[in-house]
Amino acid sequence: MVASVESVLDQSMPPKDTILVIDHNPELLAAARSRFPAMHVIANDGQQGLSDARNTGVSASNGEVVAFLDDDATADPAWLERLTGAFDDPKVIAAGGKADPEWEMGKPSWFPEEFNWVVGCTYRGHRDAAGPVRNVIGCNMAFRREVIDTAGGFKASLGRVGTRPVGGEETELSIRAASAFPGSVVWFDPEALISHFVPASRRTWKYFRSRCIAEGESKALITSMVGSDRALASERSYTLRTLPAGVLAGLRDAVTRGESGGLGRALAIVAGLGFTTFGYLRARVLARGDGFADTDFEPAAVVHIDIADPLPDVVYAADGEHGRAVVWIRRHGAPIGAATVDIPATGLRADDLAAFIGGLPESAGTALPVARTVAEATEARISVIIATRNRPEMLDRCLESLLDSEYRRFDVVVVDNAPADDATRDLVEDRYGSDPRVQYVREGLAGLARAHNRGVVHARGEILAFTDDDVLVDRQWLRRIAGAFNDPRVGCVTGMIVPMALDTRAQWWLEGYAGFSKGFERRVFD
């Protein structure tokens, strides 16, 4: 990390500012601030992992262009000058450079250059001259700040978390940004050069195999987000041309030169393709729910705490069913972070959460009470529209949570959508008939859009809010919505969706693959 930072500080074209983001490690955060007192050293204020760490850095940046360098890479002195020079062309929205491997103990003779991406470097088959590419390489890239803001940043569901060797977040963002800016270009400049350190632990066959499988899984997830045509466009040529040529070259070296490593490289290419394909297919099947079991799965308790209030000694009592907990952390009601922690036999105590809470920035959530004050002063009436069909028990829980809202100027339109019986109508009339805020409407034609449109017709509010019958709304939900609409530019508001329970594999997969989590940072899409 120190070598990486010093290489940035030694650039021929100094950056406007340099931001070092520490990913949920309070000890390293303190050490980095001590080592670099003049630098902007901050903690990742989103989910643990590379993607939200980068998003945190983007939020703290002031430049028109944001460049990214990994902590295990060192930049050539002309790196930043070459990388940002590409943006002289207004069509360029992102730029990347070459990453050469710096092997700690030398490259293994069996390791093929076609698979340099396994160690995060430019590989044989990648473009080698300056020109347009589909995506940048994550350890050596830059984006226009407005492009990241418009596209929505890096997906937290992609990217390395700790030592888990996954990736693809820069590929997905490059594709998404290109779609948001038609006619734009992602540029590659081989002279924007970095050296990427490869530790001895990554010279092993075990790491090669796990990284290939993880790459396949990442490609499957990207495919689900952007479609196979764009997600696999570069990979098709690489698989059909580059890899066969690499196998033949390895065999030729083995036969004509007697080089044992040639045979190893040929076999590694075949095996690497197989491992990657296996990871891709496994992830695709897993996403469809066809029976692949998550061997690491165990039920997780869902726990909410507010650190503005004194925490009880036992935050969650051990119940024998949940070995871990996903803890959603708030400050004055505003969500500011989440942590997955083990539950000891004595129960989850405040001390068990101290390390993570201590790593949250002091500024997290401090802007939100201002919005709360504004929301309380607004006079806007909100109509909440709930479409439901044959689920009165769920609807009952939803209505109870909604009617307990802190914000009081609202009404509710329950749209009974092509029901099989009168159970929903009976529930609303019996339980909520005396509450003037709740009205029942029936829509005879099935379909969620029809139900929503029917609710709009009967809504009385200036703001229309939609939710489902299988949710519980937060007490501050309506107040936050109202506060956001005090800005006259705002036309639509959406918010965080957190799981009610994580007791089954299906629930866990939904959180991991459906992409409901958008992080803890307020964002504007304009």
Side-chain angles (χ1 to χ4, degrees), residues 18-338:
T18 303
I19 301 165
L20 180 61
V21 185
I22 306 300
D23 189 19
H24 294 275
N25 188 329
E27 293 81 7
L28 183 59
L29 179 66
R33 284 175 172 168
S34 176
R35 179 64 183 260
F36 303 111
M39 186 183 295
H40 197 181
V41 181
I42 60 177
N44 175 8
D45 61 7
Q47 297 183 46
Q48 182 181 359
L50 184 56
S51 289
D52 265 352
R54 285 173 172 162
N55 290 335
T56 298
V58 172
S59 299
S61 65
N62 296 310
E64 299 174 16
V65 172
V66 184
F68 299 87
L69 183 69
D70 281 4
D71 63 352
D72 55 357
T74 55
D76 181 83
W79 168 68
L80 203 55
E81 186 174 359
R82 296 291 310 190
L83 193 63
T84 57
F87 293 96
D88 291 342
D89 184 342
K91 295 193 299 294
V92 173
I93 58 172
K98 187 178 181 183
D100 284 342
E102 181 185 339
W103 296 89
E104 182 180 23
M105 296 181 60
K107 186 180 77 170
S109 61
W110 59 266
F111 193 96
E113 289 189 18
E114 290 81 0
F115 278 75
N116 273 358
W117 54 261
V118 166
V119 292
C121 295
T122 309
Y123 53 90
R124 180 177 292 155
H126 187 279
R127 186 184 187 101
D128 55 8
V133 290
R134 181 194 63 182
N135 62 274
V136 291
I137 296 176
C139 63
N140 181 1
M141 62 181 178
F143 284 84
R144 292 190 191 274
R145 170 65 187 269
E146 65 171 320
V147 169
I148 297 180
D149 290 342
T150 300
F154 296 92
K155 293 274 190 183
S157 54
L158 291 167
R160 178 182 290 270
V161 179
T163 59
R164 183 167 175 252
V166 295
E169 70 286 348
E170 73 282 352
T171 300
E172 191 275 338
L173 178 57
S174 297
I175 295 172
R176 182 156 37 94
S179 296
F181 292 85
S184 61
V185 174
V186 177
W187 192 259
F188 172 74
D189 184 350
E191 295 188 41
L193 180 65
I194 69 165
S195 296
H196 203 175
F197 180 71
V198 184
S201 60
R202 297 186 182 180
R203 299 174 76 252
T204 66
W205 182 255
K206 180 180 179 181
Y207 182 83
F208 180 84
R209 179 186 62 195
S210 66
R211 182 67 183 85
C212 288
I213 293 174
E215 180 70 9
E217 294 173 345
S218 299
K219 293 298 182 187
L221 189 52
I222 295 172
T223 297
S224 70
M225 295 175 177
V226 303
S228 60
D229 287 345
R230 290 184 291 175
L232 302 178
S234 298
E235 286 72 12
R236 291 189 182 97
S237 175
Y238 169 79
T239 302
L240 296 175
R241 297 180 182 180
T242 302
L243 295 188
V247 172
L248 292 175
L251 294 175
R252 185 170 58 248
D253 290 342
V255 173
T256 62
R257 300 180 183 178
E259 185 183 341
S260 60
L263 179 60
R265 290 192 294 274
L267 293 174
I269 290 174
V270 174
L273 177 60
F275 292 141
T276 307
T277 303
F278 167 74
Y280 177 84
L281 294 176
R282 183 176 72 169
R284 295 289 287 175
V285 171
L286 180 65
R288 293 197 304 267
D290 285 347
F292 269 97
D294 180 356
T295 55
D296 295 329
F297 171 78
E298 62 175 320
V302 178
V303 179
H304 293 263
I305 64 171
D306 196 315
I307 60 176
D309 302 324
L311 296 182
D313 181 38
V314 179
V315 177
Y316 183 87
D319 58 10
E321 297 180 7
H322 300 98
R324 57 180 175 171
V326 176
V327 182
W328 295 88
I329 301 172
R330 306 175 183 223
R331 181 182 284 124
H332 298 295
I336 59 173

Side-chain angles (χ1 to χ4, degrees), residues 399-458:
L399 287 172
E400 282 188 352
S401 69
L402 186 56
L403 296 176
D404 191 39
S405 297
E406 294 179 357
Y407 191 78
R408 309 310 297 174
R409 288 183 54 80
F410 74 96
D411 60 85
V412 184
V413 181
V414 176
V415 183
D416 200 0
N417 189 205
D421 52 41
D422 294 330
T424 298
R425 186 192 64 184
D426 293 343
L427 166 74
V428 175
E429 292 180 351
D430 293 345
R431 291 287 309 274
Y432 305 99
S434 61
D435 193 324
R437 294 174 295 178
V438 181
Q439 63 170 311
Y440 170 88
V441 176
R442 183 177 179 126
E443 168 56 56
L445 294 176
L448 184 60
R450 288 191 177 98
H452 281 166
N453 288 337
R454 176 64 61 188
V456 169
V457 171
H458 292 267

Side-chain angles (χ1 to χ4, degrees), residues 349-520:
R349 299 178 177 275
D351 291 344
D352 299 321
L353 299 173
F356 181 82
I357 293 173
L360 292 170
E362 289 297 323
S363 60
T366 55
L368 298 178
V370 176
R372 180 168 66 243
T373 302
V374 173
E376 287 171 344
T378 187
E379 296 299 322
R381 172 177 287 277
I382 302 176
S383 288
V384 182
I385 298 169
I386 307 174
T388 185
R389 187 170 192 243
N390 302 331
R391 302 199 293 194
E393 295 82 7
M394 287 185 178
L395 175 65
D396 190 21
R397 293 194 295 267
C398 176
L399 287 172
E400 282 188 352
S401 69
L402 186 56
L403 296 176
D404 191 39
S405 297
E406 294 179 357
Y407 191 78
R408 309 310 297 174
R409 288 183 54 80
F410 74 96
D411 60 85
V412 184
V413 181
V414 176
V415 183
D416 200 0
N417 189 205
D421 52 41
D422 294 330
T424 298
R425 186 192 64 184
D426 293 343
L427 166 74
V428 175
E429 292 180 351
D430 293 345
R431 291 287 309 274
Y432 305 99
S434 61
D435 193 324
R437 294 174 295 178
V438 181
Q439 63 170 311
Y440 170 88
V441 176
R442 183 177 179 126
E443 168 56 56
L445 294 176
L448 184 60
R450 288 191 177 98
H452 281 166
N453 288 337
R454 176 64 61 188
V456 169
V457 171
H458 292 267
R460 302 190 295 267
E462 305 159 45
I463 297 171
L464 306 182
F466 299 84
T467 192
D468 292 342
D469 60 0
D470 58 351
V471 307
L472 300 181
V473 301
D474 189 82
R475 295 191 72 232
Q476 295 187 9
W477 181 58
L478 292 176
R479 188 168 68 183
R480 300 289 184 180
I481 290 174
F485 277 108
N486 280 321
D487 186 333
R489 299 171 300 172
V490 173
C492 181
V493 176
T494 187
M496 181 176 284
I497 303 172
V498 301
M500 192 182 304
L502 291 170
D503 292 331
T504 69
R505 285 188 175 90
Q507 292 168 337
W508 193 260
W509 288 341
L510 185 68
E511 295 306 311
Y513 289 93
F516 284 150
S517 177
K518 302 295 190 297
F520 296 88

